[in-house]
């Protein structure tokens, strides 16, 4: 409590007031006492002089001492004082309150000595005979200059002291009252003065605890005083207003940055000069499978455990230049383009690391390269054999009509296969670019299967295969373009026949599922290797180039596009050497 400024201001004032009151009290009581004593002294001196005048005729050797005693007692009664009459040699001649004969010589009493010297004297001291403090005033009796004796009047000081004590009591009460009032007044004034300071202190404490709602205007309801505290409050209010505005602006900037960082698909990290991660965005967390909390403040090397990224950061730091590299990193060994750029003045010593996932791009690039190499490979064989055939014909085979006939037939076959490929490529590109409008209509799945099977029945028979249809007549109709879906079935059946050795079996059919029909084409042929299975629906992909010699590798790609154009799905299950199962779905009406 006493640490507060309120008390620190109030207490010295209160002490000052108490000390001054005590000083004044002490001075006043002394002063009053002195006045009382002076008055009393003068009064007693006057009375002693008056009584002395009357005693003059008695001061000779003939006078009966008893008579002087009686006179002393009478004067004592009249003056309400103790009266002592002392001879020049100090012998007590008359005494009002004591037995004169038992009293010692008074010549050494201070008041008597003073009276002998100056005509009068006084002394205040404790009286053994009265048992109290007394004031003694003695005057010399010296008519016409001849010293005859001394008249001494004395009164107890009890009354004077009682008066002084009563004054002291009044002063004490007044001191207490004034002190109390001044304490209250000091507290009230200091409390009022301190109120804005207290509010300021509280607001500053709230801000320092991070509670920014403390940044409200102080003493907003009443006008601030014009004193120093008022100026301080005003300055504080201005400061908080500015700070609030700046914090709001910063927060808005920060939320914008956060929003951008969190929706970015590229991973972003900021690493300080010690290599500790200062910032990491959502994409980077997902890329590397790290938690935000474990990333911040941890070293880049520990976190990513990737020496190339770490070295890139080091190079960038050392050269103070942006550096880039491509690495295989991250949770799923993605193909990442990693850029390390020093942040310069914005964040001295820190480096921005940017990770762009190029996996998809790279895959597309691979597919494109595969496509080009595949198409050139596919074209090279027929073109080479065409060239060989024409050269053979030119070199004289024309002279041999049966041989020429055979060569021409082969040329026709090659040209057919080339035109088939071109046709399929055209078809595929048309389907892929969405230029094949689907003529949807309610179609019986079994009819589709039937028609496709009929188209390939002869081929199956020639290959020595049993072609089974497995289609319940209760199936619901599907909403499809029948010609296109039949094409899918034909492609699948064609493959099944092609990849099943003689004596095998091909089953084609459909089952109804929830909201869709699932078609299937199953064979017990050569099957597809597990690593080829995910890729067979790509253009030109041939699982085993030697065995699938005749195909273009486009059939399944066309089938996939057609099924997907109908909103369905196509997939294959296979075990090498035991056959393949192809499935696709089509929506019910
Ligand atoms: P292709 O015209 O070469 O048959 P597809 O796109 O139709 O091209 O098939 C791609 C590859 O998938 C084939 O080369 C083959 O290796 C494999 N494949 C497709 N169907 C089957 C099947 N029923 N059995 C075994 N392999 C198959």
């Amino acid at each position: 409590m006493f640490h507060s400024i309120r008390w620190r201001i109030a207490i010295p004032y209160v002490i000052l007031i108490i000390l001054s009151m005590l000083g004044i009290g002490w001075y006043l009581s002394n002063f009053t006492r002195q006045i009382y004593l002076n008055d009393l002294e003068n009064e007693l001196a006057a009375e002693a002089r008056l009584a002395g005048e009357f005693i003059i005729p008695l001061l000779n050797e003939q006078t009966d001492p008893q008579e002087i005693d009686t006179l002393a007692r009478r004067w004592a009664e009249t003056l309400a004082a103790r009266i002592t009459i002392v001879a020049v040699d100090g012998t007590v001649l008359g005494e009002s309150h004591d037995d004169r004969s038992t009293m010692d010589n008074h010549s050494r009493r201070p008041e008597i000595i003073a009276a002998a010297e100056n005509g009068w004297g006084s002394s205040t001291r404790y009286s053994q005979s009265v048992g109290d403090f007394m004031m003694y005033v003695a005057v010399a009796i010296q008519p016409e200059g001849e010293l005859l004796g001394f008249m001494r009047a004395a009164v107890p000081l009890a009354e004077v002291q009682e008066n002084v004590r009563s004054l002291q009591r009044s002063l004490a009460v007044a001191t207490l009252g004034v002190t109390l009032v001044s304490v209250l007044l000091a507290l009230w004034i200091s409390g009022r003065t301190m109120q804005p300071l207290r509010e300021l202190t509280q607001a500053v404490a709230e801000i320092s605890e991070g509670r920014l709602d403390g940044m409200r205007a102080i003493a907003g309801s009443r006008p601030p005083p014009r004193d120093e505290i008022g100026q301080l409050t005003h300055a504080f209010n201005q400061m908080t207003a500015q700070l609030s505005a700046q914090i709001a602006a910063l927060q808005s900037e920060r939320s914008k940055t956060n929003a951008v960082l969190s929706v970015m698909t590229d991973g972003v990290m900021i690493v300080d000069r010690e290599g500790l991660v200062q910032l990491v965005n959502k994409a980077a967390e997902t890329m590397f499978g790290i938690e935000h909390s474990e990333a911040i403040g941890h070293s880049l090397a520990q976190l990513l455990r990737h020496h190339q990224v770490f070295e890139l950061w080091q190079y960038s730091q050392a050269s103070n230049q942006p550096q880039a590299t491509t690495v295989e990193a991250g949770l799923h060994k993605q193909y990442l383009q990693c850029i390390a750029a020093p942040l310069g003045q914005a964040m001295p010593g820190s480096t921005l690391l940017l990770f762009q996932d190029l996996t998809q791009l790279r895959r597309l690039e691979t597919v494109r390269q595969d496509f080009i190499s595949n198409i050139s490979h596919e074209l090279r064989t027929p073109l080479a054999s065409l060239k060989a055939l024409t050269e053979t014909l030119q070199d004289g085979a024309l002279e041999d009509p049966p041989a020429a006939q055979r060569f021409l037939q082969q040329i026709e076959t090659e040209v057919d296969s080339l035109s088939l490929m071109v046709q399929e490529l055209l078809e595929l590109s048309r389907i892929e670019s969405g230029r094949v409008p689907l003529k949807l209509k309610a179609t019986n799945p079994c009819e589709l299967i039937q028609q496709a099977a009929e188209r390939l029945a002869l081929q199956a028979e020639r290959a020595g295969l049993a072609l089974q249809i497995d289609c319940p007549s209760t199936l619901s109709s599907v909403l499809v373009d029948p010609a296109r879906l039949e094409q899918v079935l034909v492609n699948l059946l064609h493959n099944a026949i092609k990849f099943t050795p003689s004596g095998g079996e091909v089953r084609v059919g459909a089952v109804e599922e929830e909201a869709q029909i699932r078609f299937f084409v199953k064979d017990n042929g050569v099957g597809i290797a597990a690593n080829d299975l995910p890729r067979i629906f790509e253009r030109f992909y041939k699982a085993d180039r030697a065995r699938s010699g005749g195909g273009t590798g486009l059939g399944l790609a066309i089938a996939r596009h057609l099924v997907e154009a109908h909103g369905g799905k196509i997939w294959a299950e296979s075990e090498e050497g035991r056959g393949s199962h192809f499935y696709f779905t089509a929506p019910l009406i």
Side-chain angles (χ1 to χ4, degrees), residues 348-363:
S350 295
T351 309
L352 174 83
L353 292 177
L354 188 73
F355 301 95
Q356 289 172 310
D357 191 350
L358 302 182
T359 317
Q360 185 69 6
L361 267 180
R362 199 172 139 95
R363 208 182 65 79

Side-chain angles (χ1 to χ4, degrees), residues 286-437:
T286 324
M287 241 173 223
F288 295 101
I290 47 177
E291 289 285 324
H292 189 79
S293 53
E294 66 170 311
I296 300 299
H298 285 78
S299 94
L300 179 72
Q302 271 183 348
L303 205 63
L304 301 191
R305 298 191 177 283
H306 202 287
H307 71 98
Q308 275 175 287
V309 177
F310 187 70
E311 278 167 10
L312 186 80
W313 167 71
Q314 281 184 322
Y315 286 147
S316 160
Q317 271 249 315
S319 63
N320 203 25
Q321 291 291 327
Q323 302 285 340
T325 187
T326 42
V327 294
E328 224 179 283
L331 202 55
H332 307 291
K333 290 271 161 280
Q334 301 97 309
Y335 190 72
L336 302 178
Q337 153 108 328
C338 176
I339 299 167
L343 286 171
Q345 289 305 314
M347 282 178 83
S350 295
T351 309
L352 174 83
L353 292 177
L354 188 73
F355 301 95
Q356 289 172 310
D357 191 350
L358 302 182
T359 317
Q360 185 69 6
L361 267 180
R362 199 172 139 95
R363 208 182 65 79
L364 288 176
E365 179 66 12
T366 316
V367 169
R368 198 181 64 84
Q369 277 171 1
D370 278 1
F371 179 78
I372 292 169
S373 80
N374 286 340
I375 202 164
S376 34
H377 177 85
E378 293 304 322
L379 289 173
R380 203 165 49 215
T381 320
L383 287 175
S385 57
L386 278 176
K387 184 158 178 62
L389 288 167
T390 47
E391 274 174 6
T392 318
L393 283 174
Q394 275 171 352
D395 289 350
L398 272 177
E399 312 305 324
D400 179 357
Q405 189 62 36
R406 225 178 44 244
F407 287 151
L408 280 175
Q409 261 174 10
Q410 279 182 21
I411 288 175
E412 195 184 2
T413 317
E414 293 297 346
V415 171
D416 280 352
S417 93
L418 269 180
S419 60
L420 174 73
M421 191 195 301
V422 172
Q423 249 178 31
E424 285 189 345
L425 267 176
L426 273 176
E427 177 81 354
L428 187 64
S429 90
R430 281 176 62 217
I431 300 170
E432 274 185 347
S433 61
R435 274 183 285 135
V436 177

Side-chain angles (χ1 to χ4, degrees), residues 495 498-499 523 527-528 536 541-543 548 551-553 555-556 580 582:
N495 281 346
K498 194 159 61 171
F499 295 107
D523 65 65
I528 305 163
I536 52 172
Y541 194 83
K542 294 185 192 171
S548 57
T552 56
L556 286 181
S580 313
F582 281 82

Side-chain angles (χ1 to χ4, degrees), residues 184-224:
L184 292 178
L185 208 64
L187 285 181
W188 182 70
I189 291 172
S190 56
R192 244 184 96 82
T193 317
M194 286 300 120
Q195 179 62 23
L197 264 188
R198 264 203 303 279
E199 285 180 19
L200 268 178
T201 314
Q202 199 185 342
V204 171
E206 280 176 18
I207 294 168
S208 70
E209 282 166 14
R211 280 152 52 203
L212 295 184
D213 53 348
M215 286 208 206
R216 58 198 145 70
I218 306 297
S221 51
R222 59 192 134 84

Side-chain angles (χ1 to χ4, degrees), residues 478 512-517 586-589:
V478 282
E512 187 160 343
E513 292 179 338
E514 200 186 327
Q516 63 184 16
I517 295 288
L588 291 175
I589 300 171

